[in-house]
Amino acid sequence: MSISFPPGFLWGTATAAYQIEGAAREGGRTPSIWDTFSHTPGKVENGDTGDVAVDHFHRRADDVRLMADLGIDAYRFSVSWPRVQPTGRGPVSQSGLDFYRALVDDLLEHGITPQLTLYHWDLPQELESAGGWPERETAYRFAEYARIVAEALGDRVVRWTTLNEPWCSAFLGYCSGVHAPGRTDPAASLRAAHHLNLGHGLAAQALRSVLPATGQVSVSLNLHAVRARTASPADLDARRRIDAVGNRVFTGPMLHGAYPEDLFADTAHLTDWTFVHDGDPAAIRQPLDSLGINYYTPAVVSARTGSDGLPAEGADGHGGGGSPWPGADRVAFHQPPGDVTDMGWTVDPSGLYDLLMHYTREAPGLPLVITENGAAYPDKPAADGSVHDPDRIAYLHAHLATVHRAITHGADVRGYFLWSLMDNFEWAYGYGKRFGAVHVDYDTLARTPKSSARWYAELARTGVLPDTAGL
């Protein structure tokens, strides 16, 4: 029996500016926190940086033609804040905006819907030097930047995303230190989480004030499908703690206008939360046209007893470092059973189903979009130059079948964005992990669509999930 998706379902791919653009010092662009971090010895595997990345800045037109050849409906890209506003405040770089104007024009010319993400982790270094996201001022600067980009592109871009995965920005960047800016201060990470929330709310207001009535505003969250290892009260409490600091720290104020009280109690030894000012939760809770969900793998947790399970340190799936879970020091993580990707993440699409159904119940009437889903595998070209990636196709098939099941059970899922369009700079892993549907030769920067790209193109063209026979 074939699996058909609803008419109008959006099929897209996704990237992030620092991961693909390169041209790190061109057009007035100044360093972001990721430039600084990647150039700091020992922070990124093999000393890799995004200075060149996959040179999308210079290969933009060819990359858009490649997407068109693959029949992609939509492209989710991010804008580099320091390319547009080099100091994070004040003067605007018109040459930086011109790059995104040209990108949007190319996409529209080829019938591809642009979905613009304002922030995918590349804070201007000058703002970090002034305190970064733990400082309230950064939220106001982000709203100003949002207005600048909306005034430049709002006549052509309908779909806008404020933040991508603020959990990573706050807790990998300021708590565990495995992402830029590499700080290890749990109290600062909680301040960062709040100011990212506030930045989202203020940016959404700024977008609404500039965009035409057709403009759509969203946010993309890497929501954690958290499961207790057993039904014991201690394990259930461990799950509650991770849900609080992994999910509800963002969905509480964004969807309901309030932080969860148990999060305050869990983290009272770290902060008194007085940085949350009167009116902040209401400012954060802005109307959304959709909620973006990024999903890769579930988490299984228990109460920590002795040496059982993985400690919170390094259990985030993004490398070593300190714990990214403030207030959850007594929680242990366990590897879910099943096959794993090259990231060591268990392949388990049931976690995506659980998230889609949970937020269907929690936010009825709010459309959902899967804004990231995909897998890294050690893809290598065959002797004839082709790149076959049956593991990725199997991963995508399983997850998309699960999305369809959620839709049949009442989830209002409007689209799916494959991560990623092409192999690129995978943050602290450098160029060692390949998530792309398009293979990139990092010596020549040649692009070669993998089998999964052709498989996904067929899905985008027909709306019918192709089988995996012969893989």
Side-chain angles (χ1 to χ4, degrees):
M1 180 179 177
S2 63
I3 296 176
S4 298
F5 283 79
F9 193 87
L10 197 63
W11 298 104
T13 59
T15 64
Y18 189 74
Q19 292 182 277
I20 68 165
E21 284 183 2
R25 298 174 183 83
E26 295 186 34
R29 183 187 181 279
T30 58
S32 74
I33 54 175
W34 268 98
D35 293 278
T36 302
F37 188 80
S38 67
H39 280 269
T40 302
K43 296 298 186 181
V44 175
E45 288 189 10
N46 301 313
D48 292 339
T49 75
D51 288 0
V52 175
V54 296
D55 198 32
H56 173 70
F57 184 84
H58 297 112
R59 299 166 186 253
R60 177 204 78 243
D62 289 341
D63 287 341
V64 172
R65 281 192 291 271
L66 176 59
M67 281 185 266
D69 290 344
L70 294 173
I72 300 303
D73 291 342
Y75 177 48
R76 178 176 173 251
F77 65 95
S78 75
V79 172
S80 168
W81 189 348
R83 193 179 298 285
V84 165
Q85 194 183 29
T87 64
R89 66 183 80 230
V92 174
S93 169
Q94 289 301 324
S95 64
L97 283 172
D98 285 346
F99 170 75
Y100 297 106
R101 291 185 178 106
L103 172 60
V104 168
D105 288 347
D106 284 350
L107 292 168
L108 294 174
E109 182 180 339
H110 287 85
I112 300 171
T113 298
Q115 175 147 328
L116 187 154
T117 298
L118 286 165
Y119 188 73
H120 200 133
W121 309 350
D122 47 358
L123 184 71
Q125 179 59 45
E126 188 162 322
L127 291 184
E128 173 59 26
S129 298
W133 283 111
E135 296 301 319
R136 188 178 182 87
E137 180 67 14
T138 305
Y140 294 109
R141 299 284 65 76
F142 180 63
E144 177 188 48
Y145 156 68
R147 178 183 294 274
I148 289 167
V149 180
E151 288 174 344
L153 298 174
D155 60 332
R156 283 159 288 177
V157 176
V158 173
R159 303 172 66 91
W160 294 74
T161 300
T162 55
L163 304 173
N164 179 78
E165 299 186 350
W167 183 87
C168 293
S169 297
F171 299 118
L172 298 183
Y174 291 94
C175 194
S176 72
V178 298
H179 276 193
R183 289 163 62 177
T184 53
D185 183 340
S189 74
L190 294 166
R191 295 198 306 273
H194 174 63
H195 296 136
L196 283 154
N197 282 334
L198 182 61
H200 156 76
L202 297 176
Q205 291 177 1
L207 292 173
R208 299 280 187 201
S209 72
V210 172
L211 297 178
T214 54
Q216 299 179 24
V217 178
S218 182
V219 64
S220 289
L221 305 177
N222 57 317
L223 296 166
H224 298 79
V226 190
R227 296 163 176 171
R229 191 185 189 195
T230 74
S232 72
D235 285 1
L236 292 173
D237 188 65
R239 182 203 175 278
R240 178 200 61 75
R241 285 177 179 269
I242 297 303
D243 181 54
V245 77
N247 297 328
R248 290 182 286 123
V249 64
F250 300 108
T251 59
M254 287 184 183
L255 300 181
H256 309 296
Y259 282 99
E261 290 295 329
D262 60 322
L263 174 67
F264 292 162
D266 291 345
T267 57
H269 63 292
L270 298 172
T271 179
D272 59 9
W273 289 83
T274 53
F275 48 81
V276 180
H277 294 187
D278 289 346
D280 282 0
I284 295 166
R285 187 189 184 190
Q286 295 299 313
L288 295 174
D289 295 290
S290 63
L291 174 64
I293 294 178
N294 297 357
Y295 173 82
Y296 294 94
T297 190
V300 177
V301 301
S302 70
R304 167 152 292 287
T305 56
S307 59
D308 182 39
L310 298 170
E313 292 83 0
D316 54 83
H318 294 272
S323 170
W325 307 100
D329 296 339
R330 296 187 299 277
V331 174
F333 287 75
H334 304 269
Q335 180 79 36
D339 295 335
V340 298
T341 69
D342 201 32
M343 295 288 287
W345 298 345
T346 298
V347 179
D348 185 350
S350 67
L352 178 56
Y353 176 86
D354 292 347
L355 288 174
L356 293 174
M357 300 314 298
H358 176 88
Y359 289 98
T360 294
R361 294 188 297 269
E362 181 171 334
L366 179 62
L368 306 174
V369 176
I370 294 128
T371 41
E372 284 186 28
N373 178 238
Y377 290 105
D379 310 311
K380 296 180 180 179
D384 63 358
S386 61
V387 184
H388 300 290
D389 55 344
D391 288 339
R392 180 172 291 103
I393 294 175
Y395 178 101
L396 297 176
H397 187 281
H399 284 76
L400 284 162
T402 295
V403 172
H404 185 269
R405 182 163 69 96
I407 292 172
T408 63
H409 292 172
D412 184 9
V413 186
R414 302 286 182 88
Y416 177 93
F417 286 80
L418 167 65
W419 187 270
S420 175
L421 171 63
M422 65 184 103
D423 297 332
N424 54 50
F425 177 85
E426 184 49 40
W427 308 114
Y429 289 99
Y431 296 98
K433 306 295 182 184
R434 293 181 177 270
F435 274 90
V438 174
H439 180 273
V440 177
D441 182 318
Y442 292 128
D443 293 325
T444 66
L445 298 179
R447 277 81 156 136
T448 303
K450 305 174 188 178
S451 298
S452 61
R454 303 299 182 191
W455 182 90
Y456 190 65
E458 176 70 9
L459 173 58
R461 184 181 67 81
T462 64
V464 178
L465 191 63
D467 65 30
T468 56
L471 295 180

